[in-house]
Amino acid sequence: MIFKKRKWRVLKITGLRRRWFLNTVAVIGMLGLVAVLVVTASFAAYYYSAMESDMRYRARSTTEFFADYLNQSYNAYYQSCITYAQTFEDRNNIELQFIDASGRMVASSYGDWVGKSPSTSDIADAVATRGICTFVGKNSQTGERIMAVSSPMIYSNGEVIGVLRFVTSTQIMDRQIAIVIGISLTALSLFILLVILSSNYYIRTILHPLNAIIKKAKRIQRRFIRRTKRAE
């Protein structure tokens, strides 16, 4: 008889912990995951927005710098593009390209541009809208995820004769975002572990005594009911 009573208590404790986990820990875990997603999305949006703003500023200022060359002949213009690309100081972090109106690359800060024709949408959009356009996605030629910003080069007669384009890989940004995700998930896991440990203390110091009081009250109630029936 004693053995059965102890077995019943173990099952009851397990039930308490299961209910506590479903009602508390699971809810905290779901809310934590939502918080991780919100933080990650906010960080990614900020990082990409900052990079795009920087590249758009570069494109705008460089296009304005080339305004004087756009009053010269086509040959002088293209030679200026090649010279500027070859002496571009930030070539290790970002690529500078000059593309003609047909989409063919005529100069690049990476040096090797012969026969290359980038196919991302920012180039055609810049020519069509005569404004700065951005592309974020996979480069179909290399399979690499990139961010590209294109600015139209408008000749003195109003003709769009080409596009000035800045290109950079998003690998570094994506790595930073992955680090943020890892740190957030680690912090969430540690918090959930702390909640589980504190819940064990809560169950041991509060729920178990409370459960014992409830069972004692039920026994008293049953005795009172039996005595009442006997009195009747």
Side-chain angles (χ1 to χ4, degrees), residues 5-53:
K5 187 175 181 180
R6 288 180 178 175
K7 183 177 181 181
W8 182 83
R9 283 188 62 192
V10 172
L11 292 174
K12 190 67 177 178
I13 292 171
T14 303
L16 285 173
R17 287 178 176 169
R18 184 182 300 111
R19 289 197 299 272
W20 174 264
F21 179 82
L22 293 177
N23 295 334
T24 305
V25 178
V27 173
I28 292 175
M30 292 298 296
L31 293 176
L33 287 176
V34 172
V36 169
L37 291 175
V38 171
V39 169
T40 302
S42 300
F43 183 84
Y46 170 78
Y47 217 128
Y48 273 81
S49 177
M51 177 61 72
E52 181 181 354
S53 297

Coordinates of all heavy atoms in Angstrom, one line a residue, residues 5-53:
K5 N 1.3 4.4 -2.9 CA 1.2 5.9 -2.6 C 2.3 6.6 -3.1 O 2.2 7.7 -3.7 CB 1.0 6.0 -1.1 CG 0.7 7.4 -0.7 CD 0.4 7.5 0.8 CE 0.1 8.9 1.2 NZ -0.1 9.0 2.7
R6 N 3.5 6.1 -2.9 CA 4.7 6.8 -3.4 C 4.7 6.9 -4.9 O 5.1 7.9 -5.5 CB 6.0 6.1 -3.0 CG 6.3 6.3 -1.5 CD 7.5 5.5 -1.1 NE 7.8 5.7 0.3 CZ 8.8 5.1 1.0 NH1 9.6 4.2 0.3 NH2 9.0 5.3 2.3
K7 N 4.3 5.9 -5.6 CA 4.2 5.9 -7.1 C 3.3 6.9 -7.6 O 3.5 7.7 -8.5 CB 3.8 4.5 -7.6 CG 3.8 4.4 -9.1 CD 3.5 3.0 -9.5 CE 3.4 2.9 -11.0 NZ 3.1 1.5 -11.5
W8 N 2.1 7.1 -6.8 CA 1.1 8.1 -7.2 C 1.7 9.5 -7.1 O 1.5 10.3 -7.9 CB -0.1 7.9 -6.3 CG -1.2 8.8 -6.7 CD1 -2.2 8.7 -7.6 CD2 -1.5 10.1 -6.0 NE1 -3.0 9.8 -7.7 CE2 -2.6 10.7 -6.7 CE3 -0.9 10.8 -5.0 CZ2 -3.2 11.9 -6.3 CZ3 -1.4 12.0 -4.6 CH2 -2.6 12.5 -5.2
R9 N 2.5 9.7 -6.0 CA 3.1 11.0 -5.8 C 4.1 11.4 -6.9 O 4.1 12.5 -7.4 CB 3.8 11.1 -4.5 CG 2.9 11.2 -3.3 CD 3.7 11.5 -2.0 NE 4.4 12.7 -2.1 CZ 5.3 13.1 -1.2 NH1 5.7 12.3 -0.3 NH2 5.9 14.2 -1.4
V10 N 4.9 10.5 -7.4 CA 5.8 10.7 -8.5 C 5.1 11.1 -9.7 O 5.4 12.1 -10.4 CB 6.7 9.5 -8.7 CG1 7.6 9.7 -10.0 CG2 7.6 9.2 -7.5
L11 N 4.0 10.4 -10.0 CA 3.2 10.8 -11.2 C 2.6 12.1 -11.1 O 2.5 12.9 -12.0 CB 2.1 9.7 -11.5 CG 2.6 8.3 -11.9 CD1 1.5 7.3 -11.9 CD2 3.4 8.3 -13.2
K12 N 2.2 12.5 -9.9 CA 1.6 13.8 -9.7 C 2.6 14.9 -9.9 O 2.3 15.9 -10.5 CB 1.0 13.8 -8.3 CG 0.1 15.0 -8.0 CD -1.2 14.9 -8.8 CE -2.1 16.1 -8.5 NZ -3.3 16.1 -9.3
I13 N 3.8 14.7 -9.4 CA 4.8 15.7 -9.5 C 5.2 15.9 -11.0 O 5.3 17.0 -11.5 CB 6.1 15.3 -8.7 CG1 5.8 15.4 -7.2 CG2 7.3 16.2 -9.0 CD1 6.9 14.8 -6.3
T14 N 5.3 14.8 -11.7 CA 5.5 14.9 -13.1 C 4.5 15.7 -13.9 O 4.7 16.5 -14.8 CB 5.7 13.5 -13.7 OG1 6.7 12.8 -13.0 CG2 6.0 13.5 -15.2
G15 N 3.2 15.5 -13.5 CA 2.1 16.2 -14.1 C 2.2 17.7 -13.8 O 1.9 18.5 -14.7
L16 N 2.6 18.0 -12.6 CA 2.8 19.5 -12.3 C 3.8 20.1 -13.1 O 3.6 21.2 -13.7 CB 3.1 19.6 -10.8 CG 2.0 19.4 -9.8 CD1 2.6 19.4 -8.4 CD2 1.0 20.5 -9.9
R17 N 4.9 19.4 -13.3 CA 6.0 20.0 -14.1 C 5.6 20.1 -15.6 O 5.9 21.0 -16.3 CB 7.3 19.1 -14.0 CG 8.0 19.3 -12.6 CD 9.1 18.4 -12.5 NE 9.8 18.6 -11.2 CZ 10.8 17.9 -10.7 NH1 11.1 16.8 -11.4 NH2 11.4 18.2 -9.6
R18 N 4.8 19.1 -16.0 CA 4.4 19.1 -17.4 C 3.5 20.3 -17.7 O 3.6 21.0 -18.6 CB 3.7 17.8 -17.8 CG 3.3 17.7 -19.3 CD 2.5 16.5 -19.6 NE 3.3 15.3 -19.3 CZ 3.1 14.4 -18.3 NH1 2.1 14.6 -17.5 NH2 3.9 13.4 -18.1
R19 N 2.5 20.5 -16.7 CA 1.6 21.7 -16.9 C 2.4 23.0 -16.8 O 2.1 23.9 -17.5 CB 0.5 21.6 -15.8 CG -0.5 20.5 -16.0 CD -1.7 20.7 -15.2 NE -1.5 20.8 -13.8 CZ -1.5 19.7 -13.0 NH1 -1.7 18.5 -13.5 NH2 -1.2 19.8 -11.7
W20 N 3.3 23.0 -15.9 CA 4.1 24.3 -15.7 C 4.9 24.6 -17.0 O 5.0 25.7 -17.5 CB 5.1 24.1 -14.6 CG 6.0 25.3 -14.4 CD1 7.3 25.4 -14.9 CD2 5.8 26.5 -13.8 NE1 7.9 26.6 -14.6 CE2 7.0 27.3 -13.9 CE3 4.7 27.1 -13.2 CZ2 7.1 28.6 -13.5 CZ3 4.8 28.4 -12.7 CH2 5.9 29.1 -12.8
F21 N 5.5 23.5 -17.6 CA 6.2 23.7 -18.8 C 5.3 24.2 -20.0 O 5.7 25.1 -20.7 CB 6.9 22.4 -19.2 CG 7.7 22.5 -20.5 CD1 9.0 23.0 -20.5 CD2 7.1 22.1 -21.7 CE1 9.7 23.1 -21.7 CE2 7.8 22.2 -22.9 CZ 9.1 22.7 -22.9
L22 N 4.2 23.6 -20.1 CA 3.3 24.0 -21.2 C 2.7 25.4 -21.0 O 2.6 26.1 -22.0 CB 2.1 22.9 -21.3 CG 2.5 21.5 -21.8 CD1 1.3 20.6 -21.8 CD2 3.1 21.6 -23.2
N23 N 2.4 25.7 -19.8 CA 1.8 27.0 -19.5 C 2.8 28.2 -19.4 O 2.4 29.3 -19.6 CB 1.0 26.9 -18.2 CG -0.2 25.9 -18.3 OD1 -0.7 25.7 -19.4 ND2 -0.6 25.4 -17.2
T24 N 4.0 27.9 -19.0 CA 5.0 29.0 -18.8 C 6.2 28.9 -19.7 O 6.4 29.8 -20.5 CB 5.4 28.9 -17.3 OG1 4.3 28.9 -16.5 CG2 6.4 30.1 -17.0
V25 N 6.9 27.8 -19.7 CA 8.2 27.8 -20.4 C 7.9 27.8 -21.9 O 8.6 28.5 -22.7 CB 9.0 26.5 -20.0 CG1 10.2 26.4 -20.9 CG2 9.3 26.5 -18.6
A26 N 6.9 27.1 -22.4 CA 6.6 27.0 -23.8 C 6.1 28.4 -24.3 O 6.5 28.9 -25.4 CB 5.5 26.0 -24.1
V27 N 5.3 29.1 -23.5 CA 4.9 30.5 -23.9 C 6.1 31.4 -23.9 O 6.2 32.2 -24.9 CB 3.8 31.0 -22.9 CG1 3.5 32.4 -23.2 CG2 2.6 30.1 -23.0
I28 N 7.0 31.3 -22.9 CA 8.2 32.2 -22.9 C 9.0 31.9 -24.1 O 9.6 32.8 -24.8 CB 8.9 32.0 -21.6 CG1 8.1 32.6 -20.4 CG2 10.3 32.7 -21.7 CD1 8.8 32.3 -19.1
G29 N 9.2 30.6 -24.5 CA 10.0 30.2 -25.6 C 9.4 30.8 -26.9 O 10.2 31.3 -27.7
M30 N 8.1 30.7 -27.1 CA 7.5 31.3 -28.3 C 7.7 32.8 -28.4 O 8.0 33.3 -29.4 CB 6.0 30.9 -28.3 CG 5.8 29.4 -28.5 SD 6.4 28.8 -30.1 CE 5.4 29.7 -31.3
L31 N 7.4 33.5 -27.3 CA 7.6 34.9 -27.3 C 9.1 35.3 -27.5 O 9.4 36.3 -28.2 CB 7.1 35.5 -25.9 CG 5.6 35.4 -25.6 CD1 5.3 35.9 -24.2 CD2 4.9 36.2 -26.7
G32 N 10.0 34.5 -26.9 CA 11.4 34.7 -27.2 C 11.8 34.6 -28.6 O 12.6 35.4 -29.1
L33 N 11.3 33.5 -29.3 CA 11.6 33.4 -30.7 C 11.0 34.5 -31.5 O 11.7 35.0 -32.5 CB 10.9 32.0 -31.2 CG 11.6 30.8 -30.7 CD1 10.9 29.5 -31.2 CD2 13.1 30.7 -31.3
V34 N 9.8 35.0 -31.2 CA 9.3 36.2 -31.9 C 10.2 37.4 -31.7 O 10.5 38.1 -32.6 CB 7.9 36.5 -31.4 CG1 7.4 37.8 -32.0 CG2 6.9 35.4 -31.8
A35 N 10.7 37.5 -30.4 CA 11.6 38.7 -30.2 C 12.9 38.5 -31.0 O 13.4 39.5 -31.5 CB 11.9 38.7 -28.7
V36 N 13.4 37.3 -31.1 CA 14.7 37.1 -31.9 C 14.4 37.5 -33.3 O 15.3 38.1 -34.0 CB 15.1 35.6 -31.7 CG1 16.2 35.3 -32.7 CG2 15.6 35.4 -30.3
L37 N 13.3 37.1 -33.9 CA 13.0 37.4 -35.2 C 12.9 38.9 -35.5 O 13.4 39.4 -36.4 CB 11.7 36.7 -35.7 CG 11.7 35.2 -35.8 CD1 10.3 34.6 -36.1 CD2 12.7 34.7 -36.9
V38 N 12.2 39.6 -34.5 CA 12.1 41.0 -34.6 C 13.4 41.7 -34.6 O 13.7 42.6 -35.4 CB 11.1 41.6 -33.5 CG1 11.1 43.1 -33.5 CG2 9.7 41.0 -33.7
V39 N 14.2 41.3 -33.6 CA 15.6 41.9 -33.5 C 16.4 41.7 -34.7 O 17.1 42.6 -35.2 CB 16.3 41.4 -32.2 CG1 17.8 41.8 -32.2 CG2 15.6 41.9 -30.9
T40 N 16.4 40.5 -35.2 CA 17.2 40.1 -36.4 C 16.7 40.9 -37.6 O 17.5 41.4 -38.4 CB 17.1 38.6 -36.7 OG1 17.5 37.9 -35.5 CG2 17.9 38.2 -37.9
A41 N 15.4 41.0 -37.8 CA 14.8 41.7 -38.9 C 15.2 43.2 -38.8 O 15.5 43.8 -39.8 CB 13.3 41.5 -39.0
S42 N 15.1 43.8 -37.6 CA 15.4 45.2 -37.5 C 16.9 45.4 -37.7 O 17.3 46.4 -38.4 CB 15.1 45.6 -36.0 OG 13.7 45.4 -35.8
F43 N 17.8 44.5 -37.2 CA 19.2 44.7 -37.5 C 19.5 44.6 -38.9 O 20.3 45.4 -39.5 CB 20.0 43.7 -36.7 CG 21.5 43.8 -36.8 CD1 22.2 44.6 -35.9 CD2 22.2 43.0 -37.7 CE1 23.5 44.8 -36.0 CE2 23.5 43.1 -37.8 CZ 24.2 44.0 -37.0
A44 N 19.0 43.6 -39.6 CA 19.2 43.4 -41.0 C 18.7 44.6 -41.8 O 19.4 45.1 -42.8 CB 18.5 42.1 -41.5
A45 N 17.5 45.1 -41.5 CA 17.0 46.3 -42.2 C 17.9 47.5 -42.0 O 18.2 48.2 -43.0 CB 15.6 46.6 -41.8
Y46 N 18.4 47.7 -40.8 CA 19.3 48.8 -40.5 C 20.6 48.7 -41.3 O 21.1 49.6 -41.9 CB 19.6 48.9 -39.0 CG 20.6 49.9 -38.7 CD1 20.4 51.3 -38.7 CD2 21.9 49.4 -38.4 CE1 21.4 52.2 -38.4 CE2 22.9 50.3 -38.1 CZ 22.7 51.7 -38.1 OH 23.7 52.6 -37.8
Y47 N 21.2 47.5 -41.2 CA 22.5 47.2 -41.9 C 22.4 47.4 -43.4 O 23.2 48.1 -44.0 CB 23.0 45.8 -41.6 CG 24.4 45.7 -41.3 CD1 24.9 45.1 -40.2 CD2 25.4 46.2 -42.3 CE1 26.3 45.0 -40.0 CE2 26.7 46.1 -42.1 CZ 27.2 45.5 -40.9 OH 28.5 45.4 -40.7
Y48 N 21.4 46.8 -44.0 CA 21.2 47.0 -45.5 C 20.9 48.4 -45.9 O 21.4 48.9 -46.9 CB 20.1 46.0 -46.0 CG 20.6 44.6 -46.3 CD1 20.8 43.7 -45.3 CD2 20.9 44.3 -47.6 CE1 21.3 42.4 -45.6 CE2 21.4 43.0 -47.9 CZ 21.6 42.1 -46.9 OH 22.1 40.8 -47.2
S49 N 20.1 49.1 -45.1 CA 19.7 50.5 -45.4 C 20.9 51.4 -45.3 O 21.1 52.2 -46.1 CB 18.6 50.9 -44.4 OG 18.3 52.3 -44.6
A50 N 21.8 51.1 -44.3 CA 23.0 51.9 -44.1 C 23.9 51.7 -45.3 O 24.5 52.7 -45.9 CB 23.7 51.6 -42.8
M51 N 24.1 50.5 -45.7 CA 25.0 50.2 -46.9 C 24.4 50.8 -48.2 O 25.2 51.4 -49.0 CB 25.1 48.7 -47.0 CG 25.9 48.2 -48.2 SD 27.6 48.9 -48.2 CE 28.3 47.8 -46.9
E52 N 23.1 50.7 -48.4 CA 22.5 51.3 -49.6 C 22.7 52.8 -49.6 O 23.0 53.4 -50.6 CB 21.0 50.9 -49.6 CG 20.3 51.4 -50.9 CD 18.9 51.1 -51.0 OE1 18.4 50.3 -50.1 OE2 18.2 51.6 -51.9
S53 N 22.5 53.4 -48.4 CA 22.6 54.9 -48.4 C 24.0 55.3 -48.7 O 24.2 56.3 -49.4 CB 22.2 55.4 -47.0 OG 20.9 55.1 -46.7

